[in-house]
Amino acid sequence: MVDVLLGLQWGDEGKGKIVDFLAKNYQIIARFQGGPNAGHTLYLDDKKVVLHTIPSGVFHPGILNVIGNGVVIDPVSFQAECEEIESLGVDLKACMLISERAHLILPSHKALDKASELAKGQQKIGSTLKGIGPTYMDKTGRNGLRVGDILKADFKARYQVLKDKHLQILNQPEWAEEIQSWEADFFKAIEALKQYQIIAAEYWLNEQLIAGKRILAEGAQGTMLDIDFGTYPFVTSSNTITAGLCTGLGIAPKWVGKVFGISKAYCTRVGSGPFPTELLNETGDQLRAIGHEFGATTGRPRRCGWIDLVALKYACMINGVTDLIITKADILDEMPEVFLCNAYSINGVQTQHFPYDIINDSIEPVYVKTEKWSKALSSCTNVDDLPEEFNAFTRLISDFTKVKVSFVSNGVGRHQLITL
Ligand code: IMP
C-alpha cells in the first residue's frame, strides 16, 4: 500500500516532523512533486535540519528514499543538501534513489523565474525564485531535460539548445552573463548527481508494492497552492494533492491507502495571494512571533491568521483525507480566545463553499470561537491531559470537515505528539 501525507493549507504545516514520526511504519518514503521551493524542518535531538528536495526518511536506518518523476531537481542546491546530510553520517548513495524521469532545473530556469516575477510587478506570485515554475513549464512544453539525460553523451549540446531558447525569451545581455556565472557550479553538480542511484523508479516502486512493502508518499507545499485547486494564479506549479502521487511516482490509485492531511491550529501563508482569515493586527504579529513563522526556505516572514475551516473542508474533500493531524496547537496557548472561520460572507451572502474567484470576490470570514485553554497544551503528554476548551476546538474541526482528528502536535520535540 502507499499512504500519503500532505499539507491542507498554504504549505509550512509542519510535515517534516510528522513524516519523521510515521516513518517507522514504512520501508520507503517517496517525494512526488515540488523541488527546492519546499523546506521540511526536522529536529534531530537539538539539531535543526531543513530538507528541500531529499525525502524526510533519510535519518531512519533501513528506510529507502525515492525522489519521484514528479519532482524537479536543482543539481546545485541538491549537491549542497546531500553534502550537509552526508556530513551527519547518512549514506545517501545507499539509501536514496532518483527517478531518471525527474526534470532538471537549469540556471536559466532560475533567471526566467526572476524575470517573470519582475515583469509581474505588484502582481508577483511571491515565488521562492528557485526556478520551479519555468521548469514545469518546460516539462509541459516538452522542452525539459531529465535526470536520465545527464548520462547521455549529448547532454551538453541539449543543455545549450534549451539555454539558447531561454536567452531568446530573456532578451537581455545581463541575463546571459548571470547564467554563465552559474554554469561552472551547475556542471560540477551534474557530475556529483551521477554518483547517486538513478533508476526507473516507477518500475522499482511497483515491484516493491507487489512484494508487500509499505510506502509513504511525502507531499510538499500544500493543497491551497495546488496548480488546479489552489488560489490560482497565486499557487505553485505542481499537483500537491493526493492525485499528484499517482502521476508523480507512477503508482495507480488502487494502491492508495490512508491520506494523512496536516493543518496547523491556525493558518499561515508565505508569498502573495488571497488569505481570507489573515490577521493584519497585533494578534497576527503575536502568532508570527510565538510560532516562529518565518519561511524555512527563504526566511521571509509568514502572514498569519485564524484556522479556515471552509478551506480545510475543501482540502479534505479534494484529497480524500482519512486522518487529520493538527500541528503547532501549543502556539495558541497564550491566546485569550481562539477563533475558527466556519463560513465566508461573499458580497453579503454566506457560504461554506470555497469560491472559484477568490481574487476578485470580497470575502468576509465568519467566525466561531473557543475560550482560552485552561491548561497549556505544551505541558500535555496524552489525550487525557488535554483541556476541555481544546477538545471543543478539535470537535469543531472534525464536525465541520467530517474527518477525525487523529494526532495533535504540541511542540517541536519528536515526543510532543498526542494520539487522540
Ligand atoms: P514557487 O513554487 O517557488 O513558484 O512559489 C509559488 C508560491 O508558492 C509562492 O507564494 C511561494 O511562497 C509558495 N511556496 C512554494 N513552496 C512553498 C513551500 O514549501 N511552503 C510554503 N509556500 C511555498
Side-chain angles (χ1 to χ4, degrees), residues 10-12 37-40 113 125-130 132-133 220-221 225 234-237 269-272 297 300:
W10 283 278
D12 310 314
N37 49 350
H40 293 177
D113 213 358
I125 306 290
S127 161
T128 58
L129 302 178
K130 304 285 177 190
I132 307 291
Q221 289 85 49
L225 289 171
F234 296 93
V235 293
T236 191
S237 312
R269 172 162 204 169
V270 64
S272 342
T297 298
R300 291 178 290 178

Side-chain angles (χ1 to χ4, degrees), residues 66-246:
V66 177
I67 299 179
N69 58 282
V71 175
V72 290
I73 298 180
D74 171 5
V76 179
S77 67
F78 184 68
Q79 185 187 3
E81 195 178 333
C82 289
E83 283 169 3
E84 190 194 340
I85 294 171
E86 284 165 345
S87 75
L88 299 170
V90 176
D91 183 0
L92 287 177
K93 294 190 175 91
C95 74
M96 182 174 70
L97 310 165
I98 306 170
S99 167
E100 59 193 356
R101 291 176 184 269
H103 277 246
L104 291 173
I105 302 175
L106 308 189
S108 45
H109 284 130
K110 287 191 259 188
L112 283 168
D113 213 358
K114 273 199 200 170
S116 158
E117 284 285 77
L118 279 173
K120 284 190 165 129
Q122 291 283 343
Q123 299 306 312
K124 71 175 184 177
I125 306 290
S127 161
T128 58
L129 302 178
K130 304 285 177 190
I132 307 291
T135 306
Y136 279 113
M137 279 165 76
D138 269 338
K139 176 178 179 176
T140 49
R142 290 148 295 173
N143 300 313
L145 293 178
R146 298 179 290 173
V147 168
D149 297 338
I150 67 174
L151 305 172
K152 301 273 162 62
D154 64 348
F155 176 69
K156 277 211 167 151
R158 291 175 62 185
Y159 167 86
Q160 195 60 40
V161 170
L162 188 52
K163 176 182 144 183
D164 287 347
K165 201 175 269 175
H166 293 160
L167 286 175
Q168 271 179 17
I169 302 169
L170 289 161
N171 196 23
Q172 300 276 343
E174 305 89 87
W175 287 117
E177 281 165 32
E178 192 161 0
I179 291 166
Q180 209 175 357
S181 72
W182 295 335
E183 278 179 339
D185 283 345
F186 176 78
F187 284 106
K188 220 163 71 197
I190 289 288
E191 290 310 308
L193 183 56
K194 286 181 187 167
Q195 309 304 309
Y196 296 95
Q197 298 188 56
I198 297 172
I199 62 159
E202 66 281 24
Y203 273 111
W204 186 84
L205 286 165
N206 278 281
E207 282 158 18
Q208 303 307 310
L209 287 168
I210 290 164
K213 297 279 167 60
R214 293 180 61 84
I215 302 175
L216 181 65
E218 175 184 11
Q221 289 85 49
T223 302
M224 303 318 289
L225 289 171
D226 180 82
I227 182 74
D228 282 281
F229 297 104
T231 46
Y232 191 88
F234 296 93
V235 293
T236 191
S237 312
S238 61
N239 279 119
T240 58
I241 56 175
T242 302
L245 89 87
C246 296

Side-chain angles (χ1 to χ4, degrees), residues 376-390:
L377 289 187
S378 49
S379 64
C380 299
T381 53
N382 66 64
V383 64
D384 299 326
D385 278 353
L386 294 170
E388 178 44 34
E389 299 78 10
F390 179 71

